[in-house]
Amino acid sequence: RALERDLTGDPAGTRARVVLTGAPPHPDVWIRVDLTADAGAAGVREHVHAAVRRFAATAGCQPAHLDVTARIETGRP
């Protein structure tokens, strides 16, 4: 859950879900991050990239495949 917490550490990220599959040294990483309506694409991209780099360094693994889905929240009820 550390990567999920890291991904939501940016004010634009409201929720994140991370799924790891495959062998530990090179797992497949699937990320879904929910963003605020005013999130900037470039800033979000850099934040996700940095979070994945930190995860790889601390976990001692390099993702074999990385799939990121970003969903923009259109509004809150």
Coordinates of all heavy atoms in Angstrom, one line a residue:
R1 N 0.8 -1.2 0.0 CA 0.0 0.0 0.0 C 0.9 1.3 0.0 O 0.3 2.4 -0.1 CB -0.9 0.0 1.2 CG -1.9 -1.2 1.3 CD -3.0 -1.0 0.3 NE -3.9 -2.1 0.4 CZ -4.2 -2.9 -0.7 NH1 -3.7 -2.6 -1.8 NH2 -5.1 -3.9 -0.5
A2 N 2.1 1.1 0.1 CA 3.0 2.3 0.2 C 3.0 3.1 -1.1 O 2.9 4.3 -1.1 CB 4.5 1.9 0.5
L3 N 3.0 2.4 -2.3 CA 2.9 3.0 -3.6 C 1.6 3.8 -3.7 O 1.5 4.9 -4.2 CB 3.1 2.0 -4.7 CG 3.1 2.6 -6.1 CD1 4.1 3.8 -6.3 CD2 3.4 1.5 -7.1
E4 N 0.5 3.2 -3.2 CA -0.8 3.8 -3.3 C -0.8 5.1 -2.5 O -1.3 6.2 -2.9 CB -1.9 2.9 -2.8 CG -2.2 1.8 -3.8 CD -3.2 0.8 -3.2 OE1 -3.7 0.9 -2.1 OE2 -3.6 -0.1 -4.0
R5 N -0.2 5.1 -1.3 CA -0.1 6.3 -0.4 C 0.7 7.3 -1.1 O 0.4 8.5 -1.1 CB 0.4 5.9 0.9 CG -0.6 5.3 1.9 CD 0.0 5.2 3.3 NE 1.3 4.6 3.4 CZ 1.5 3.2 3.5 NH1 0.5 2.4 3.5 NH2 2.7 2.8 3.6
D6 N 1.8 6.9 -1.7 CA 2.7 7.8 -2.4 C 2.0 8.5 -3.6 O 2.1 9.7 -3.8 CB 3.9 7.1 -2.9 CG 5.1 8.0 -3.3 OD1 4.9 9.3 -3.2 OD2 6.1 7.5 -3.7
L7 N 1.2 7.7 -4.3 CA 0.5 8.3 -5.5 C -0.6 9.3 -5.1 O -0.9 10.3 -5.8 CB -0.2 7.2 -6.3 CG 0.8 6.3 -7.0 CD1 0.1 5.0 -7.5 CD2 1.4 7.0 -8.2
T8 N -1.2 9.1 -3.9 CA -2.2 10.1 -3.4 C -1.6 11.2 -2.6 O -2.3 12.1 -2.1 CB -3.3 9.4 -2.6 OG1 -2.7 8.7 -1.5 CG2 -4.1 8.4 -3.5
G9 N -0.3 11.3 -2.5 CA 0.4 12.3 -1.8 C 0.4 13.7 -2.6 O 0.6 14.7 -2.0
D10 N 0.1 13.6 -3.9 CA -0.1 14.8 -4.7 C -1.5 15.3 -4.5 O -2.4 14.5 -4.5 CB 0.2 14.5 -6.1 CG 0.1 15.7 -7.0 OD1 -1.0 16.1 -7.4 OD2 1.2 16.3 -7.3
P11 N -1.7 16.6 -4.3 CA -3.1 17.2 -4.1 C -4.0 16.8 -5.2 O -5.2 16.7 -5.0 CB -2.9 18.7 -4.0 CG -1.5 18.9 -3.7 CD -0.7 17.7 -4.2
A12 N -3.5 16.5 -6.4 CA -4.4 16.2 -7.6 C -4.9 14.8 -7.5 O -5.9 14.4 -8.1 CB -3.7 16.4 -8.9
G13 N -4.2 13.9 -6.7 CA -4.6 12.5 -6.7 C -5.6 12.3 -5.5 O -5.2 12.5 -4.3
T14 N -6.8 11.8 -5.7 CA -7.7 11.6 -4.7 C -7.7 10.1 -4.2 O -7.9 9.8 -3.0 CB -9.1 11.9 -5.1 OG1 -9.5 11.2 -6.2 CG2 -9.2 13.4 -5.4
R15 N -7.5 9.2 -5.1 CA -7.4 7.7 -4.8 C -6.5 7.1 -5.7 O -6.3 7.5 -6.9 CB -8.8 7.1 -4.9 CG -9.8 7.4 -3.8 CD -11.1 6.6 -4.1 NE -11.7 7.1 -5.3 CZ -12.8 7.9 -5.4 NH1 -13.4 8.3 -4.3 NH2 -13.3 8.3 -6.5
A16 N -5.9 5.9 -5.3 CA -5.1 5.1 -6.2 C -5.3 3.7 -5.8 O -5.5 3.3 -4.7 CB -3.6 5.5 -6.0
R17 N -5.1 2.9 -6.8 CA -5.2 1.4 -6.7 C -4.0 0.8 -7.5 O -3.8 1.2 -8.6 CB -6.5 0.9 -7.2 CG -6.7 -0.6 -7.2 CD -7.0 -1.0 -5.7 NE -7.3 -2.5 -5.7 CZ -6.7 -3.3 -5.0 NH1 -5.8 -2.9 -4.1 NH2 -7.0 -4.6 -5.0
V18 N -3.3 0.0 -6.8 CA -2.1 -0.7 -7.4 C -2.2 -2.2 -7.3 O -2.5 -2.7 -6.3 CB -0.8 -0.2 -6.8 CG1 0.4 -0.9 -7.3 CG2 -0.6 1.3 -6.9
V19 N -2.0 -2.9 -8.4 CA -2.0 -4.3 -8.5 C -0.6 -4.8 -9.1 O -0.2 -4.3 -10.1 CB -3.1 -4.9 -9.3 CG1 -3.0 -6.4 -9.4 CG2 -4.5 -4.5 -8.8
L20 N 0.0 -5.7 -8.3 CA 1.3 -6.3 -8.8 C 1.0 -7.7 -9.2 O 0.4 -8.4 -8.4 CB 2.4 -6.2 -7.7 CG 2.7 -4.8 -7.2 CD1 3.5 -4.9 -5.9 CD2 3.6 -4.1 -8.2
T21 N 1.5 -8.1 -10.3 CA 1.4 -9.5 -10.7 C 2.8 -10.0 -11.3 O 3.6 -9.1 -11.7 CB 0.3 -9.7 -11.8 OG1 0.7 -9.0 -12.9 CG2 -1.0 -9.3 -11.3
G22 N 3.0 -11.3 -11.3 CA 4.2 -11.8 -11.9 C 5.3 -11.9 -10.8 O 5.1 -11.8 -9.6
A23 N 6.5 -12.2 -11.3 CA 7.7 -12.5 -10.5 C 8.2 -11.3 -9.8 O 8.2 -10.2 -10.4 CB 8.8 -13.2 -11.3
P24 N 8.6 -11.4 -8.5 CA 9.1 -10.2 -7.7 C 10.2 -9.4 -8.4 O 10.1 -8.1 -8.3 CB 9.5 -10.8 -6.4 CG 8.7 -12.0 -6.3 CD 8.5 -12.6 -7.7
P25 N 11.2 -9.9 -9.0 CA 12.3 -9.0 -9.5 C 11.8 -8.1 -10.6 O 12.3 -7.0 -10.7 CB 13.4 -9.9 -10.0 CG 12.9 -11.3 -9.8 CD 11.6 -11.3 -9.2
H26 N 10.8 -8.6 -11.3 CA 10.3 -7.8 -12.5 C 8.7 -8.0 -12.6 O 8.2 -8.5 -13.6 CB 10.9 -8.2 -13.8 CG 12.4 -8.0 -13.8 ND1 13.0 -6.7 -13.8 CD2 13.4 -8.9 -13.6 CE1 14.3 -6.9 -13.7 NE2 14.6 -8.1 -13.6
P27 N 8.0 -7.4 -11.6 CA 6.5 -7.6 -11.7 C 5.9 -6.7 -12.7 O 6.4 -5.7 -13.1 CB 6.1 -7.2 -10.3 CG 7.1 -6.1 -9.9 CD 8.4 -6.6 -10.5
D28 N 4.7 -7.1 -13.1 CA 3.8 -6.2 -13.9 C 3.1 -5.3 -12.9 O 2.6 -5.8 -11.8 CB 2.8 -7.0 -14.7 CG 3.5 -7.8 -15.8 OD1 4.5 -7.4 -16.3 OD2 2.9 -8.9 -16.1
V29 N 3.0 -4.0 -13.1 CA 2.4 -3.1 -12.2 C 1.3 -2.4 -12.9 O 1.4 -1.8 -14.0 CB 3.5 -2.0 -11.8 CG1 2.8 -1.0 -10.8 CG2 4.7 -2.7 -11.1
W30 N 0.1 -2.5 -12.3 CA -1.1 -1.9 -12.9 C -1.5 -0.8 -11.9 O -1.8 -1.1 -10.7 CB -2.2 -2.9 -13.0 CG -1.7 -4.1 -13.8 CD1 -1.1 -5.2 -13.3 CD2 -1.8 -4.3 -15.2 NE1 -0.8 -6.1 -14.3 CE2 -1.2 -5.6 -15.5 CE3 -2.4 -3.6 -16.2 CZ2 -1.2 -6.1 -16.8 CZ3 -2.3 -4.1 -17.5 CH2 -1.7 -5.3 -17.8
I31 N -1.7 0.4 -12.4 CA -2.0 1.6 -11.5 C -3.3 2.2 -12.0 O -3.4 2.5 -13.2 CB -0.9 2.6 -11.4 CG1 0.4 2.0 -10.8 CG2 -1.3 3.8 -10.7 CD1 1.6 2.9 -10.8
R32 N -4.2 2.5 -11.1 CA -5.3 3.4 -11.5 C -5.3 4.5 -10.5 O -5.3 4.3 -9.3 CB -6.7 2.7 -11.4 CG -7.8 3.6 -11.9 CD -9.2 3.0 -11.6 NE -9.4 3.3 -10.2 CZ -10.2 2.5 -9.4 NH1 -10.7 1.4 -9.8 NH2 -10.4 2.8 -8.2
V33 N -5.3 5.7 -11.0 CA -5.3 6.9 -10.1 C -6.5 7.8 -10.4 O -6.7 8.0 -11.6 CB -3.9 7.7 -10.1 CG1 -3.6 8.2 -11.5 CG2 -3.8 8.7 -9.1
D34 N -7.2 8.2 -9.4 CA -8.3 9.1 -9.6 C -7.8 10.5 -9.3 O -7.2 10.7 -8.3 CB -9.5 8.7 -8.7 CG -10.1 7.3 -9.0 OD1 -9.9 6.9 -10.1 OD2 -10.7 6.8 -8.2
L35 N -8.2 11.4 -10.2 CA -7.6 12.8 -10.1 C -8.8 13.8 -9.9 O -9.9 13.6 -10.4 CB -6.8 13.1 -11.3 CG -5.7 12.1 -11.7 CD1 -5.2 12.4 -13.1 CD2 -4.6 12.2 -10.6
T36 N -8.4 15.0 -9.4 CA -9.3 16.1 -9.3 C -9.5 16.6 -10.7 O -8.6 16.4 -11.6 CB -8.8 17.2 -8.4 OG1 -7.5 17.7 -8.9 CG2 -8.7 16.7 -7.0
A37 N -10.6 17.3 -11.0 CA -10.9 17.9 -12.3 C -9.9 18.9 -12.8 O -9.7 19.0 -14.0 CB -12.3 18.5 -12.3
D38 N -9.1 19.5 -11.9 CA -8.2 20.5 -12.3 C -6.7 20.0 -12.3 O -5.8 20.8 -12.5 CB -8.2 21.7 -11.3 CG -7.9 21.4 -9.9 OD1 -7.9 20.2 -9.5 OD2 -7.7 22.3 -9.1
A39 N -6.6 18.7 -12.3 CA -5.2 18.1 -12.3 C -4.6 18.4 -13.7 O -5.2 18.2 -14.7 CB -5.3 16.6 -12.1
G40 N -3.3 18.8 -13.7 CA -2.5 19.0 -14.9 C -1.9 17.7 -15.3 O -1.2 17.1 -14.5
A41 N -2.0 17.4 -16.6 CA -1.4 16.1 -17.1 C 0.1 16.0 -16.9 O 0.6 14.9 -16.5 CB -1.8 15.9 -18.6
A42 N 0.8 17.0 -17.2 CA 2.3 17.0 -17.0 C 2.7 16.7 -15.6 O 3.6 15.9 -15.3 CB 2.9 18.2 -17.6
G43 N 2.1 17.4 -14.7 CA 2.4 17.3 -13.2 C 2.0 15.9 -12.7 O 2.8 15.3 -12.0
V44 N 0.9 15.4 -13.1 CA 0.5 14.1 -12.7 C 1.4 13.0 -13.3 O 1.8 12.1 -12.6 CB -1.0 13.8 -13.2 CG1 -1.3 12.3 -13.0 CG2 -2.0 14.7 -12.4
R45 N 1.8 13.1 -14.5 CA 2.7 12.2 -15.2 C 4.0 12.1 -14.4 O 4.5 11.1 -14.1 CB 2.9 12.6 -16.6 CG 3.8 11.6 -17.4 CD 4.1 12.0 -18.8 NE 2.9 12.3 -19.5 CZ 2.6 13.6 -20.0 NH1 3.4 14.6 -19.8 NH2 1.5 13.8 -20.6
E46 N 4.6 13.3 -14.1 CA 5.8 13.3 -13.3 C 5.7 12.7 -11.9 O 6.6 12.0 -11.4 CB 6.4 14.8 -13.3 CG 7.7 14.9 -12.5 CD 8.8 13.9 -13.0 OE1 8.9 13.6 -14.2 OE2 9.5 13.4 -12.1
H47 N 4.6 13.0 -11.3 CA 4.3 12.5 -9.9 C 4.3 11.0 -9.9 O 4.9 10.3 -9.1 CB 3.1 13.1 -9.3 CG 2.8 12.6 -8.0 ND1 3.5 13.0 -6.9 CD2 1.8 11.8 -7.5 CE1 3.0 12.4 -5.8 NE2 2.0 11.6 -6.2
V48 N 3.5 10.4 -10.9 CA 3.4 9.0 -11.0 C 4.8 8.4 -11.3 O 5.2 7.4 -10.7 CB 2.4 8.6 -12.1 CG1 2.4 7.1 -12.4 CG2 1.0 9.0 -11.6
H49 N 5.5 9.0 -12.3 CA 6.8 8.5 -12.6 C 7.8 8.5 -11.4 O 8.5 7.5 -11.2 CB 7.4 9.3 -13.8 CG 8.7 8.8 -14.3 ND1 8.8 7.6 -15.0 CD2 9.9 9.3 -14.3 CE1 10.0 7.5 -15.4 NE2 10.7 8.5 -15.0
A50 N 7.8 9.5 -10.7 CA 8.6 9.6 -9.5 C 8.2 8.6 -8.4 O 9.1 8.0 -7.8 CB 8.6 11.0 -8.9
A51 N 6.9 8.4 -8.2 CA 6.4 7.4 -7.2 C 6.9 6.0 -7.6 O 7.3 5.2 -6.8 CB 4.9 7.5 -7.1
V52 N 6.8 5.7 -8.9 CA 7.2 4.3 -9.4 C 8.7 4.2 -9.3 O 9.2 3.1 -8.9 CB 6.7 4.1 -10.9 CG1 7.3 2.8 -11.4 CG2 5.2 4.0 -10.9
R53 N 9.5 5.2 -9.5 CA 10.9 5.2 -9.3 C 11.3 4.9 -7.9 O 12.1 4.1 -7.6 CB 11.6 6.5 -9.8 CG 11.8 6.6 -11.3 CD 12.8 7.7 -11.6 NE 12.5 8.9 -10.9 CZ 11.9 10.0 -11.4 NH1 11.4 10.0 -12.6 NH2 11.7 11.1 -10.6
R54 N 10.6 5.6 -6.9 CA 10.8 5.4 -5.5 C 10.5 4.0 -5.1 O 11.2 3.3 -4.4 CB 10.1 6.4 -4.7 CG 10.7 7.8 -4.7 CD 10.0 8.7 -3.7 NE 8.6 9.0 -4.0 CZ 8.2 10.0 -4.8 NH1 9.1 10.8 -5.4 NH2 6.9 10.2 -5.1
F55 N 9.3 3.5 -5.6 CA 8.9 2.1 -5.3 C 9.9 1.1 -5.8 O 10.3 0.2 -5.1 CB 7.5 1.8 -6.0 CG 7.2 0.4 -6.0 CD1 6.7 -0.2 -4.8 CD2 7.3 -0.4 -7.1 CE1 6.4 -1.6 -4.8 CE2 7.0 -1.7 -7.1 CZ 6.6 -2.3 -5.9
A56 N 10.4 1.3 -7.0 CA 11.4 0.3 -7.6 C 12.7 0.3 -6.8 O 13.3 -0.7 -6.5 CB 11.7 0.7 -9.0
A57 N 13.1 1.5 -6.3 CA 14.3 1.6 -5.5 C 14.2 1.0 -4.2 O 15.1 0.3 -3.7 CB 14.7 3.1 -5.4
T58 N 13.1 1.2 -3.5 CA 12.9 0.7 -2.1 C 12.6 -0.8 -2.1 O 12.9 -1.5 -1.2 CB 11.9 1.5 -1.3 OG1 10.6 1.5 -2.0 CG2 12.3 2.9 -1.1
A59 N 11.8 -1.2 -3.1 CA 11.4 -2.6 -3.2 C 12.5 -3.5 -3.9 O 12.4 -4.7 -3.8 CB 10.1 -2.8 -4.0
G60 N 13.5 -2.9 -4.5 CA 14.5 -3.6 -5.2 C 14.1 -4.4 -6.4 O 14.5 -5.5 -6.7
C61 N 13.1 -3.8 -7.1 CA 12.6 -4.4 -8.3 C 12.3 -3.4 -9.4 O 12.1 -2.2 -9.1 CB 11.4 -5.3 -8.0 SG 9.9 -4.3 -7.6
Q62 N 12.3 -3.8 -10.6 CA 12.0 -3.0 -11.7 C 10.8 -3.5 -12.5 O 10.8 -4.7 -12.9 CB 13.2 -2.9 -12.7 CG 13.1 -1.9 -13.8 CD 13.0 -0.5 -13.3 OE1 13.6 -0.1 -12.3 NE2 12.2 0.3 -13.9
P63 N 9.7 -2.7 -12.6 CA 8.6 -3.3 -13.3 C 8.9 -3.7 -14.7 O 9.6 -3.0 -15.5 CB 7.6 -2.1 -13.3 CG 8.0 -1.2 -12.2 CD 9.5 -1.4 -12.1
A64 N 8.4 -4.9 -15.1 CA 8.5 -5.4 -16.4 C 7.5 -4.8 -17.3 O 7.8 -4.5 -18.5 CB 8.3 -7.0 -16.4
H65 N 6.4 -4.5 -16.8 CA 5.3 -3.8 -17.5 C 4.6 -2.8 -16.6 O 4.4 -3.2 -15.4 CB 4.3 -4.9 -18.0 CG 3.1 -4.3 -18.7 ND1 3.1 -3.9 -20.0 CD2 1.9 -4.0 -18.2 CE1 1.9 -3.4 -20.3 NE2 1.1 -3.4 -19.2
L66 N 4.4 -1.6 -17.1 CA 3.7 -0.6 -16.3 C 2.5 -0.1 -17.0 O 2.6 0.4 -18.2 CB 4.7 0.5 -15.9 CG 4.1 1.7 -15.2 CD1 3.6 1.3 -13.8 CD2 5.1 2.9 -15.1
D67 N 1.3 -0.2 -16.4 CA 0.1 0.3 -17.1 C -0.5 1.2 -16.1 O -0.8 0.9 -15.0 CB -0.8 -0.9 -17.3 CG -2.1 -0.5 -18.1 OD1 -3.0 -0.1 -17.4 OD2 -2.1 -0.6 -19.3
V68 N -0.7 2.5 -16.6 CA -1.3 3.5 -15.7 C -2.6 4.0 -16.4 O -2.6 4.4 -17.5 CB -0.3 4.7 -15.5 CG1 -1.0 5.8 -14.6 CG2 1.0 4.2 -14.9
T69 N -3.7 4.0 -15.6 CA -4.9 4.6 -16.0 C -5.2 5.8 -15.1 O -5.2 5.6 -13.8 CB -6.1 3.6 -15.9 OG1 -5.8 2.5 -16.7 CG2 -7.4 4.2 -16.3
A70 N -5.5 6.9 -15.6 CA -5.9 8.1 -14.9 C -7.3 8.4 -15.1 O -7.7 8.5 -16.3 CB -5.0 9.3 -15.2
R71 N -8.1 8.6 -14.1 CA -9.5 9.0 -14.2 C -9.7 10.3 -13.6 O -9.3 10.6 -12.5 CB -10.4 7.9 -13.6 CG -10.2 6.5 -14.2 CD -11.2 5.5 -13.6 NE -11.4 5.6 -12.2 CZ -12.4 4.9 -11.6 NH1 -13.2 4.1 -12.3 NH2 -12.6 5.0 -10.3
I72 N -10.4 11.2 -14.3 CA -10.7 12.5 -13.9 C -12.0 12.5 -13.2 O -13.0 12.1 -13.8 CB -10.7 13.6 -15.0 CG1 -9.4 13.5 -15.8 CG2 -11.0 15.0 -14.5 CD1 -8.1 13.9 -15.0
E73 N -12.1 13.0 -12.0 CA -13.4 13.2 -11.3 C -14.1 14.4 -11.8 O -13.5 15.5 -11.8 CB -13.2 13.3 -9.8 CG -12.7 12.0 -9.1 CD -12.6 12.2 -7.6 OE1 -12.7 13.3 -7.1 OE2 -12.3 11.1 -7.0
T74 N -15.3 14.2 -12.3 CA -16.0 15.3 -12.9 C -16.7 16.2 -11.9 O -17.1 17.3 -12.1 CB -17.1 14.8 -13.9 OG1 -18.0 13.9 -13.2 CG2 -16.4 14.1 -15.1
G75 N -16.9 15.7 -10.7 CA -17.6 16.5 -9.6 C -18.0 15.6 -8.5 O -18.0 14.4 -8.6
R76 N -18.2 16.2 -7.4 CA -18.6 15.5 -6.2 C -20.1 15.8 -5.9 O -20.5 16.9 -6.1 CB -17.8 15.9 -5.0 CG -16.3 15.6 -5.2 CD -15.5 16.0 -4.0 NE -14.1 15.8 -4.2 CZ -13.4 14.8 -3.8 NH1 -14.0 13.8 -3.2 NH2 -12.1 14.7 -4.1
P77 N -20.8 14.7 -5.5 CA -22.2 14.9 -5.1 C -22.4 15.8 -4.0 O -21.6 16.1 -3.2 CB -22.7 13.5 -4.8 CG -21.6 12.6 -4.8 CD -20.4 13.4 -5.2

